[in-house]
Amino acid sequence: MARLRTAVIGLGRIGWQYHIPEIRRHPEQFELCGVCDPLAERRAEAKTTFGVDGYVDPESMFAAAKPDLVVVASPTAFHAEQTKAAFRHGIDVFCDKPVAVNAPEFEGMMDAMREHGRRFMVYQPHRVTAEMMGAREVLRRGVLGDIYMIKRACSAYVRRNDWQAFRKNGGGMLSNYGAHYVDQMLTLAGYSVRRTECRLRSIATLGDADDVVKIVLETGSGVIVDIDINMATALPVQEWMIFGTRGTAAFDRAASAWRVRYFEDGALPEKAAQDGLAAADRQYCNETGIDWKEATLRLSEIPADDFYMHVHAYFADGKKPFVTVEETRELMRTLDRCRELA
């Protein structure tokens, strides 16, 4: 098993709290060989905590540490230039999301990848969350019938005041959380978008970027994807719902489980349509006698997945990328279209 010498650019929240711990959690697959950050105190902290040399700029790190793989965990506005620099040094890139400021910038990164013959993949960790694995299992069982809509929501009250609160930095919830949830939903519903609607608002944020996002997509297979990201609500919004022709599933955060309610194929009582204007017995909505089945899928029953093992499989073993360039391209085009419409 090849062990990848891995360097990290950016010692902020995502680099320090997510990527470095994951690298160190997989010592047989990855070796942390260098870190890069403009802040001297963060470089010193990395040296003390992890025993790894820190560099003020990526070029110096590439030359001295000689990594096989670099994790780009800097703010979005720096992803393109740092990725291209790594490619020029013959280094593969694992980039945090959103991959770029916009789709054309991403295409420039891919041009550089092809020019230098390197590998590239984007970090989309919400593909392997426990609730996402549960959603996959619900769909695999097929009890809901044909899926016609999936709703996903993220809600809180947050007065965002860091770099992500400002448009000039590429901030905003569409880019930040939207990159997670659009990818998550399209992974379930089919990675092809034929219709897009979006509205953005800035409500509780202390900056000028969006913190309320409403997205409605229609996939190539006709599934409606409804995404709410609301960082200005005092009450929570239902996180997940999956709607099919024979039932519905909803995620229960408190119970750490998916609740499923459905009827079996052919189980509906017979009922004739009435196209006249006088309803029989002046009645309507009289759905009685349905033999509803109930199921609970607890997250503790679902096998876990490990994103960083997918990273190693791609960059070290040459396996198919867990997140493909084509999927990232469609995601970036969708986010750009959302901005245009909003």
Side-chain angles (χ1 to χ4, degrees):
M1 180 183 294
R3 191 170 184 236
L4 296 172
R5 288 178 56 81
T6 305
V8 176
I9 300 176
L11 297 178
R13 185 184 68 89
I14 193 69
W16 188 266
Q17 297 179 8
Y18 287 81
H19 288 293
I20 291 179
E22 284 295 300
I23 291 166
R24 289 170 56 81
R25 194 169 67 85
H26 297 81
E28 295 184 5
Q29 290 80 26
F30 302 93
E31 174 192 357
L32 183 64
C33 67
V35 296
C36 174
D37 196 279
L39 298 180
E41 61 269 25
R42 290 187 174 181
R43 299 195 302 272
E45 186 180 10
K47 181 69 172 179
T48 300
T49 306
F50 307 119
V52 65
D53 290 333
Y55 302 86
V56 70
D57 65 87
E59 296 278 353
S60 299
M61 182 176 69
F62 298 155
K66 299 187 181 338
D68 304 307
L69 176 68
V70 63
V71 177
V72 176
S74 54
T76 308
F78 301 110
H79 288 183
E81 64 178 86
Q82 292 168 351
T83 294
K84 292 176 183 178
F87 289 154
R88 289 195 300 270
H89 281 261
I91 303 167
D92 292 333
V93 175
F94 180 42
C95 187
D96 210 273
K97 61 83 226 165
V99 62
V101 172
N102 52 45
E105 189 173 84
F106 169 68
E107 293 302 333
M109 296 161 73
M110 294 303 91
D111 289 343
M113 178 191 71
R114 289 186 288 269
E115 177 185 351
H116 297 283
R118 304 316 308 170
R119 290 190 174 122
F120 178 90
M121 192 169 76
V122 178
Y123 186 45
Q124 293 286 4
H126 283 244
R127 289 193 181 194
V128 297
T129 61
E131 59 266 30
M132 177 66 167
M133 301 304 290
R136 287 176 182 269
E137 178 62 17
V138 169
L139 296 181
R140 187 195 68 78
R141 294 182 180 185
V143 298
L144 300 182
D146 295 330
I147 304 303
Y148 64 87
M149 183 163 61
I150 304 177
K151 295 173 73 72
R152 182 72 170 94
C154 175
S155 57
Y157 193 91
V158 180
R159 294 191 298 159
R160 196 82 188 234
N161 65 344
D162 63 334
W163 69 268
Q164 294 252 20
F166 298 92
R167 295 178 187 174
K168 66 179 181 180
N169 299 326
M173 286 296 107
L174 174 64
S175 292
N176 189 3
Y177 290 3
H180 282 309
Y181 298 142
V182 173
D183 173 77
Q184 199 176 46
M185 295 300 95
L186 293 182
T187 298
L188 292 175
Y191 233 107
S192 173
V193 178
R194 69 185 184 194
R195 191 169 301 157
T196 305
E197 292 293 336
C198 181
R199 296 295 181 269
L200 305 177
R201 296 291 185 271
S202 301
I203 306 296
T205 178
L206 300 185
D208 61 355
D210 54 273
D211 62 352
V212 174
V213 181
K214 177 67 174 183
I215 303 171
V216 179
L217 308 174
E218 184 180 357
T219 71
S221 60
V223 178
I224 300 167
V225 173
D226 185 332
I227 299 173
D228 276 316
I229 303 169
N230 191 332
M231 297 292 102
T233 175
L235 292 172
V237 181
Q238 173 68 49
E239 286 187 69
W240 288 79
M241 294 192 78
I242 302 176
F243 301 87
T245 53
R246 288 194 282 112
T248 304
F251 180 60
D252 184 339
R253 173 69 64 183
S256 194
W258 277 91
R259 309 290 190 191
V260 185
R261 193 173 195 233
Y262 65 99
F263 56 82
E264 294 179 343
D265 194 21
L268 282 181
E270 287 194 17
K271 185 176 182 179
Q274 303 176 45
D275 62 357
L277 298 181
D281 299 322
R282 299 183 179 89
Q283 299 294 319
Y284 61 96
C285 298
N286 53 345
E287 289 297 347
T288 59
I290 297 177
D291 183 17
W292 291 107
K293 306 296 182 183
E294 306 278 349
T296 299
L297 179 61
R298 301 191 183 283
L299 299 191
S300 59
E301 302 169 1
I302 302 168
D305 201 355
D306 187 327
F307 200 104
Y308 256 77
M309 290 304 294
H310 292 292
V311 175
H312 187 268
Y314 173 54
F315 288 108
D317 300 333
K319 301 291 179 63
K320 180 182 176 180
F322 189 55
V323 182
T324 69
V325 166
E326 292 74 21
E327 289 167 342
T328 302
R329 176 176 291 115
E330 183 78 337
L331 172 63
M332 292 305 300
R333 288 175 176 171
T334 300
L335 296 180
D336 279 5
R337 181 62 176 153
C338 284
R339 292 187 192 93
E340 292 171 9
L341 291 169

